Amino acid sequence: MRREWVLRWSGYVAVAIVFAIVCVWLSNWQFERNESRSVELALVAKNYDVDPVPLDDLLAPGEPLSEDHTWRPVRLVGEYNVDDQILVRNRPHGGTSAFEVLVPLRMADGREFLVNRGWVAPGESTMPDVIPTPPSGQVEVIVRLRPSEPLPPSGRTTAPPGQVPTIHLETVAAVLGYDALDTGAFGELVSESPAPDTRPAALPAPTEDPGPHLSYAIQWILFALMGFIFIGYIIRTEIVKHREDAAGAPVVEKRRRRDRDADEEDELLDAHV
């Protein structure tokens, strides 16, 4: 019997250990996500509101955007290629699957840089009813630098004509047929001069919410500890139950014997009275 208990309890402990390993792995994953999110927030706080500088000061043609320069405002001077405006579909703005408006800006040296001018809501036929036109002629534009987005998880790059599924710059360049489009970064519009009468809705500032990652990490650690506590409770319950079962019969018999002795004493006392 004791061997069976040891084998069963060993199985319980093995399950608790496996569960704890999984919980620790998930906890470390959440700690890493929390650390990554903290780095992102620090980068936004550092770069978001600094004074703009010329694009060439931070990003040379053909080079990828340095992570340290993400969200940095830069100044561009050139002309919008209005005819090559393109939309990014399924962007969550205003409680709808909105569109973001991308327009290439051609600078004096021939460099093409993609500007995200903001978002527009879908119309009755899904497509936007109106897309504000960018200013014509030479314009000075202030944008915040953003890296190229990844491809969709499905890997699908197709979309209806005039649209792209994500701001993956190589895909945008291929759709537009541009050889000189800068694929190192794109810019989120801050201001245009001269300013147009209307423009797409401004893109929201990045949230300062650190997210639930730290609390989730702590919860997974607590789950790991609770697993061992639960297994310990099961083992203790089995031990107590076994002891009660083993001691139950003699205790009842002894109590009955005491009850019979008390009855006999009461009979003798009654006889002498």
Side-chain angles (χ1 to χ4, degrees):
M1 181 66 70
R2 184 165 298 177
R3 176 181 174 81
E4 294 178 359
W5 295 344
V6 171
L7 291 176
R8 184 166 64 252
W9 295 344
S10 297
Y12 293 164
V13 173
V15 170
I17 291 173
V18 172
F19 178 71
I21 291 173
V22 173
C23 289
V24 169
W25 183 85
L26 291 171
S27 177
N28 287 335
W29 175 57
Q30 290 293 344
F31 276 125
E32 290 174 359
R33 295 188 68 187
N34 181 72
E35 179 64 24
S36 177
R37 180 59 180 157
S38 298
V39 171
E40 291 176 4
L41 292 177
L43 196 60
V44 171
K46 173 186 174 184
N47 291 344
Y48 197 79
D49 291 321
V50 300
D51 294 333
V53 298
L55 174 63
D56 290 341
D57 289 359
L58 300 181
L59 185 67
E63 291 187 359
L65 177 65
S66 168
E67 184 176 350
D68 290 340
H69 294 155
T70 302
W71 296 112
R72 280 288 302 270
V74 295
R75 184 183 300 107
L76 314 173
V77 177
E79 294 186 9
Y80 280 118
N81 295 337
V82 180
D83 293 339
D84 291 330
Q85 178 174 274
I86 194 169
L87 300 178
V88 193
R89 61 200 307 262
N90 294 331
R91 309 295 271 196
H93 298 296
T96 64
S97 295
F99 296 86
E100 292 180 7
V101 183
L102 308 179
V103 188
L105 184 86
R106 176 173 293 169
M107 290 173 276
D109 59 0
R111 186 177 183 182
E112 304 275 2
F113 195 81
L114 194 68
V115 176
N116 185 341
R117 299 190 66 235
W119 66 274
V120 290
E124 294 183 0
S125 62
T126 304
M127 289 292 294
D129 293 331
V130 177
I131 302 175
T133 303
S136 59
Q138 183 168 290
V139 60
E140 180 179 271
V141 180
I142 306 299
V143 298
R144 290 188 175 93
L145 294 176
R146 302 286 288 128
S148 177
E149 295 179 356
L151 291 170
S154 64
R156 181 180 178 183
T157 60
T158 57
Q163 300 180 27
V164 288
T166 184
I167 311 179
H168 182 257
L169 293 172
E170 292 183 359
T171 299
V172 175
V175 171
L176 294 176
Y178 277 32
D179 294 329
L181 184 69
D182 201 319
T183 57
F186 68 95
E188 292 189 356
L189 181 63
V190 177
S191 66
E192 295 167 323
S193 179
D197 294 334
T198 60
R199 55 164 284 188
L203 296 167
T207 177
E208 296 180 359
D209 184 4
H213 309 301
L214 182 59
S215 61
Y216 285 167
I218 295 173
Q219 287 177 15
W220 283 116
I221 292 175
L222 294 176
F223 287 156
L225 295 175
M226 289 170 60
F228 285 106
I229 293 173
F230 179 69
I231 295 301
Y233 172 77
I234 291 177
I235 293 175
R236 182 179 181 279
T237 300
E238 289 188 1
I239 293 174
V240 171
K241 185 176 184 301
H242 173 73
R243 288 176 177 174
E244 289 178 350
D245 291 343
V251 169
V252 173
E253 183 64 27
K254 186 175 181 180
R255 184 180 296 113
R256 289 176 180 173
R257 188 179 298 113
R258 284 201 301 267
D259 291 341
R260 286 197 298 270
D261 293 342
D263 292 339
E264 291 176 359
E265 291 177 1
D266 291 340
E267 292 176 0
L268 289 174
L269 289 173
D270 292 340
H272 288 290
V273 173

